[in-house]
PDB file of all heavy atoms in Angstrom:
ATOM      1  N   ILE A 419       4.253  -9.700  10.434  1.00 90.00           N
ATOM      2  CA  ILE A 419       5.381  -9.882   9.549  1.00 90.00           C
ATOM      3  C   ILE A 419       6.375  -8.691   9.625  1.00 90.00           C
ATOM      4  O   ILE A 419       7.580  -8.861   9.546  1.00 90.00           O
ATOM      5  CB  ILE A 419       4.899 -10.065   8.082  1.00 90.00           C
ATOM      6  CG1 ILE A 419       4.080 -11.376   7.956  1.00 90.00           C
ATOM      7  CG2 ILE A 419       6.046 -10.048   7.084  1.00 90.00           C
ATOM      8  CD1 ILE A 419       3.446 -11.569   6.621  1.00 90.00           C
ATOM      9  N   VAL A 420       5.797  -7.491   9.780  1.00 91.00           N
ATOM     10  CA  VAL A 420       6.615  -6.295   9.639  1.00 91.00           C
ATOM     11  C   VAL A 420       6.745  -5.589  11.017  1.00 91.00           C
ATOM     12  O   VAL A 420       5.761  -5.436  11.746  1.00 91.00           O
ATOM     13  CB  VAL A 420       5.959  -5.298   8.655  1.00 91.00           C
ATOM     14  CG1 VAL A 420       6.787  -4.014   8.514  1.00 91.00           C
ATOM     15  CG2 VAL A 420       5.753  -5.973   7.315  1.00 91.00           C
ATOM     16  N   ARG A 421       7.972  -5.168  11.296  1.00 93.00           N
ATOM     17  CA  ARG A 421       8.171  -4.307  12.517  1.00 93.00           C
ATOM     18  C   ARG A 421       8.228  -2.851  12.050  1.00 93.00           C
ATOM     19  O   ARG A 421       8.978  -2.520  11.127  1.00 93.00           O
ATOM     20  CB  ARG A 421       9.440  -4.695  13.234  1.00 93.00           C
ATOM     21  CG  ARG A 421       9.239  -5.832  14.257  1.00 93.00           C
ATOM     22  CD  ARG A 421      10.512  -6.129  14.961  1.00 93.00           C
ATOM     23  NE  ARG A 421      11.231  -4.974  15.457  1.00 93.00           N
ATOM     24  CZ  ARG A 421      12.417  -5.037  16.041  1.00 93.00           C
ATOM     25  NH1 ARG A 421      13.029  -6.206  16.193  1.00 93.00           N
ATOM     26  NH2 ARG A 421      13.008  -3.939  16.483  1.00 93.00           N
ATOM     27  N   GLY A 422       7.440  -2.021  12.705  1.00 90.00           N
ATOM     28  CA  GLY A 422       7.344  -0.621  12.280  1.00 90.00           C
ATOM     29  C   GLY A 422       8.681   0.078  12.273  1.00 90.00           C
ATOM     30  O   GLY A 422       9.034   0.809  11.348  1.00 90.00           O
ATOM     31  N   ASP A 423       9.529  -0.181  13.301  1.00 91.00           N
ATOM     32  CA  ASP A 423      10.833   0.542  13.379  1.00 91.00           C
ATOM     33  C   ASP A 423      11.776   0.055  12.266  1.00 91.00           C
ATOM     34  O   ASP A 423      12.505   0.855  11.675  1.00 91.00           O
ATOM     35  CB  ASP A 423      11.472   0.354  14.755  1.00 91.00           C
ATOM     36  CG  ASP A 423      11.638  -1.111  15.154  1.00 91.00           C
ATOM     37  OD1 ASP A 423      10.955  -1.950  14.541  1.00 91.00           O
ATOM     38  OD2 ASP A 423      12.408  -1.381  16.064  1.00 91.00           O
ATOM     39  N   VAL A 424      11.682  -1.240  11.940  1.00 92.00           N
ATOM     40  CA  VAL A 424      12.535  -1.794  10.878  1.00 92.00           C
ATOM     41  C   VAL A 424      12.078  -1.225   9.519  1.00 92.00           C
ATOM     42  O   VAL A 424      12.905  -0.852   8.679  1.00 92.00           O
ATOM     43  CB  VAL A 424      12.505  -3.329  10.878  1.00 92.00           C
ATOM     44  CG1 VAL A 424      13.263  -3.918   9.693  1.00 92.00           C
ATOM     45  CG2 VAL A 424      13.049  -3.870  12.198  1.00 92.00           C
ATOM     46  N   LEU A 425      10.748  -1.181   9.338  1.00 91.00           N
ATOM     47  CA  LEU A 425      10.217  -0.658   8.094  1.00 91.00           C
ATOM     48  C   LEU A 425      10.659   0.813   7.887  1.00 91.00           C
ATOM     49  O   LEU A 425      11.074   1.210   6.797  1.00 91.00           O
ATOM     50  CB  LEU A 425       8.699  -0.737   8.071  1.00 91.00           C
ATOM     51  CG  LEU A 425       7.979  -0.123   6.891  1.00 91.00           C
ATOM     52  CD1 LEU A 425       8.369  -0.773   5.575  1.00 91.00           C
ATOM     53  CD2 LEU A 425       6.481  -0.155   7.056  1.00 91.00           C
ATOM     54  N   ARG A 426      10.550   1.582   8.967  1.00 92.00           N
ATOM     55  CA  ARG A 426      10.948   2.993   8.883  1.00 92.00           C
ATOM     56  C   ARG A 426      12.404   3.127   8.461  1.00 92.00           C
ATOM     57  O   ARG A 426      12.756   3.931   7.593  1.00 92.00           O
ATOM     58  CB  ARG A 426      10.700   3.753  10.196  1.00 92.00           C
ATOM     59  CG  ARG A 426      10.986   5.217  10.074  1.00 92.00           C
ATOM     60  CD  ARG A 426      10.365   6.033  11.164  1.00 92.00           C
ATOM     61  NE  ARG A 426      10.996   5.725  12.452  1.00 92.00           N
ATOM     62  CZ  ARG A 426      10.637   6.274  13.601  1.00 92.00           C
ATOM     63  NH1 ARG A 426       9.617   7.132  13.628  1.00 92.00           N
ATOM     64  NH2 ARG A 426      11.239   5.977  14.708  1.00 92.00           N
ATOM     65  N   GLN A 427      13.227   2.252   9.048  1.00 93.00           N
ATOM     66  CA  GLN A 427      14.659   2.264   8.729  1.00 93.00           C
ATOM     67  C   GLN A 427      14.885   1.893   7.228  1.00 93.00           C
ATOM     68  O   GLN A 427      15.676   2.537   6.557  1.00 93.00           O
ATOM     69  CB  GLN A 427      15.359   1.200   9.593  1.00 93.00           C
ATOM     70  CG  GLN A 427      16.794   1.530   9.895  1.00 93.00           C
ATOM     71  CD  GLN A 427      17.355   0.594  10.957  1.00 93.00           C
ATOM     72  OE1 GLN A 427      16.816  -0.511  11.179  1.00 93.00           O
ATOM     73  NE2 GLN A 427      18.394   0.981  11.622  1.00 93.00           N
ATOM     74  N   GLU A 428      14.161   0.895   6.795  1.00 93.00           N
ATOM     75  CA  GLU A 428      14.288   0.462   5.397  1.00 93.00           C
ATOM     76  C   GLU A 428      13.883   1.567   4.420  1.00 93.00           C
ATOM     77  O   GLU A 428      14.525   1.812   3.420  1.00 93.00           O
ATOM     78  CB  GLU A 428      13.467  -0.787   5.123  1.00 93.00           C
ATOM     79  CG  GLU A 428      14.045  -2.049   5.713  1.00 93.00           C
ATOM     80  CD  GLU A 428      13.061  -3.259   5.643  1.00 93.00           C
ATOM     81  OE1 GLU A 428      11.954  -3.112   5.129  1.00 93.00           O
ATOM     82  OE2 GLU A 428      13.494  -4.307   6.136  1.00 93.00           O
ATOM     83  N   LEU A 429      12.771   2.246   4.784  1.00 93.00           N
ATOM     84  CA  LEU A 429      12.305   3.330   3.918  1.00 93.00           C
ATOM     85  C   LEU A 429      13.291   4.473   3.912  1.00 93.00           C
ATOM     86  O   LEU A 429      13.587   5.075   2.849  1.00 93.00           O
ATOM     87  CB  LEU A 429      10.906   3.823   4.397  1.00 93.00           C
ATOM     88  CG  LEU A 429       9.766   2.812   4.181  1.00 93.00           C
ATOM     89  CD1 LEU A 429       8.491   3.284   4.930  1.00 93.00           C
ATOM     90  CD2 LEU A 429       9.447   2.625   2.704  1.00 93.00           C
ATOM     91  N   GLU A 430      13.861   4.782   5.086  1.00 93.00           N
ATOM     92  CA  GLU A 430      14.867   5.860   5.186  1.00 93.00           C
ATOM     93  C   GLU A 430      16.086   5.517   4.317  1.00 93.00           C
ATOM     94  O   GLU A 430      16.632   6.378   3.653  1.00 93.00           O
ATOM     95  CB  GLU A 430      15.272   6.076   6.630  1.00 93.00           C
ATOM     96  CG  GLU A 430      14.150   6.537   7.562  1.00 93.00           C
ATOM     97  CD  GLU A 430      13.949   8.065   7.597  1.00 93.00           C
ATOM     98  OE1 GLU A 430      14.761   8.785   6.976  1.00 93.00           O
ATOM     99  OE2 GLU A 430      12.963   8.495   8.224  1.00 93.00           O
ATOM    100  N   GLN A 431      16.430   4.227   4.323  1.00 94.00           N
ATOM    101  CA  GLN A 431      17.606   3.811   3.502  1.00 94.00           C
ATOM    102  C   GLN A 431      17.305   3.965   2.002  1.00 94.00           C
ATOM    103  O   GLN A 431      18.221   4.140   1.190  1.00 94.00           O
ATOM    104  CB  GLN A 431      17.943   2.340   3.811  1.00 94.00           C
ATOM    105  CG  GLN A 431      18.751   2.223   5.085  1.00 94.00           C
ATOM    106  CD  GLN A 431      18.847   0.783   5.615  1.00 94.00           C
ATOM    107  OE1 GLN A 431      18.294  -0.134   5.032  1.00 94.00           O
ATOM    108  NE2 GLN A 431      19.534   0.580   6.717  1.00 94.00           N
ATOM    109  N   GLN A 432      16.019   3.865   1.648  1.00 93.00           N
ATOM    110  CA  GLN A 432      15.643   4.089   0.251  1.00 93.00           C
ATOM    111  C   GLN A 432      15.515   5.590  -0.073  1.00 93.00           C
ATOM    112  O   GLN A 432      15.063   5.936  -1.170  1.00 93.00           O
ATOM    113  CB  GLN A 432      14.311   3.407  -0.068  1.00 93.00           C
ATOM    114  CG  GLN A 432      14.326   1.902  -0.027  1.00 93.00           C
ATOM    115  CD  GLN A 432      12.905   1.340  -0.114  1.00 93.00           C
ATOM    116  OE1 GLN A 432      12.032   1.828  -0.863  1.00 93.00           O
ATOM    117  NE2 GLN A 432      12.636   0.339   0.716  1.00 93.00           N
ATOM    118  N   GLY A 433      15.779   6.437   0.915  1.00 94.00           N
ATOM    119  CA  GLY A 433      15.716   7.879   0.669  1.00 94.00           C
ATOM    120  C   GLY A 433      14.312   8.414   0.925  1.00 94.00           C
ATOM    121  O   GLY A 433      13.987   9.522   0.440  1.00 94.00           O
ATOM    122  N   ILE A 434      13.478   7.665   1.656  1.00 96.00           N
ATOM    123  CA  ILE A 434      12.111   8.119   1.977  1.00 96.00           C
ATOM    124  C   ILE A 434      12.073   8.514   3.449  1.00 96.00           C
ATOM    125  O   ILE A 434      12.222   7.682   4.331  1.00 96.00           O
ATOM    126  CB  ILE A 434      11.083   7.022   1.702  1.00 96.00           C
ATOM    127  CG1 ILE A 434      11.201   6.530   0.218  1.00 96.00           C
ATOM    128  CG2 ILE A 434       9.675   7.509   1.991  1.00 96.00           C
ATOM    129  CD1 ILE A 434      10.481   5.246  -0.072  1.00 96.00           C
TER     130      ILE A 434
END
Side-chain angles (χ1 to χ4, degrees):
Chain A
I419 295 174
V420 181
R421 271 182 49 186
D423 56 342
V424 174
L425 174 63
R426 185 163 68 181
Q427 208 171 23
E428 286 171 1
L429 292 169
E430 297 273 354
Q431 281 167 359
Q432 292 171 41
I434 304 167

